[in-house]
Amino acid sequence: MKHLIVVHSHLSYLVINQYFLDRNIDPDDCLFIVNARYRHLPEGNHYTNFIFFPDELLPEGFKRVFHKNNIITGIKNIKFIENRINEFFHGDLFLMYLTTTSLDYLSALVTMKQCKGYYLMEEGSASYYRKAEIPKLYKGAAYGFAFILSK
């Protein structure tokens, strides 16, 4: 089984990385879609397959699937996205890991025929703070959880 992961914050990367380490998931079976605002993956990152959104996932010049609510353009962009994903997966089934389905390109991905299912990762406000700031925000279990993920 292949794995398609959408990462847009340090927290989402750390959670999925630990999840995959605990389950011995082969990094070569993983394809990450990385949001343009999150380009600095942690040191020691052992994944090699990345597509950067929107630069590499959508046709040049587009930032949304349904650009200006144009249905024809939207259909073409969905096909473009499916082709980009299939370049890596070669038509194999995959599971998807994401933090929301509200974005149009993510909705397109979870409805692909090859997508066997998807997992939603819950994120909280800690994902928008630096690691050093988290102790000021949370005490006890929440801080402990963030600390465990940072190892």
Side-chain angles (χ1 to χ4, degrees), residues 24-133:
N24 296 317
I25 293 175
D26 186 350
D28 291 334
D29 290 336
C30 301
L31 175 61
F32 283 78
I33 297 175
V34 181
N35 187 292
R37 290 173 279 161
Y38 180 69
R39 296 284 173 107
H40 305 288
L41 296 171
E43 289 183 29
N45 169 50
H46 54 276
Y47 301 99
T48 57
N49 304 307
F50 298 94
I51 293 178
F52 293 98
F53 177 83
D55 306 342
E56 299 172 350
L57 190 61
L58 288 173
E60 189 174 337
F62 287 92
K63 296 198 183 300
R64 295 186 46 95
V65 171
F66 295 104
H67 182 72
K68 297 183 180 178
N69 294 322
N70 185 315
I71 298 296
I72 302 299
T73 300
I75 291 169
K76 288 179 183 177
N77 287 345
I78 288 170
K79 288 294 177 198
F80 186 88
I81 290 170
E82 288 177 350
N83 289 337
R84 288 288 290 136
I85 300 304
N86 281 323
E87 286 174 19
F88 176 76
F89 290 137
H90 306 289
D92 291 343
L93 297 176
F94 64 88
L95 292 171
M96 191 166 173
Y97 306 81
L98 61 163
T99 57
T100 183
T101 57
S102 64
L103 301 174
D104 55 9
Y105 82 98
L106 297 177
S107 295
L109 290 169
V110 298
T111 59
M112 286 179 64
K113 291 177 189 171
Q114 296 87 349
C115 184
K116 184 172 170 79
Y118 65 93
Y119 296 94
L120 287 171
M121 295 180 281
E122 178 64 36
E123 285 192 314
S125 62
S127 63
Y128 302 104
Y129 291 91
R130 290 187 186 93
K131 185 173 121 182
E133 295 173 315

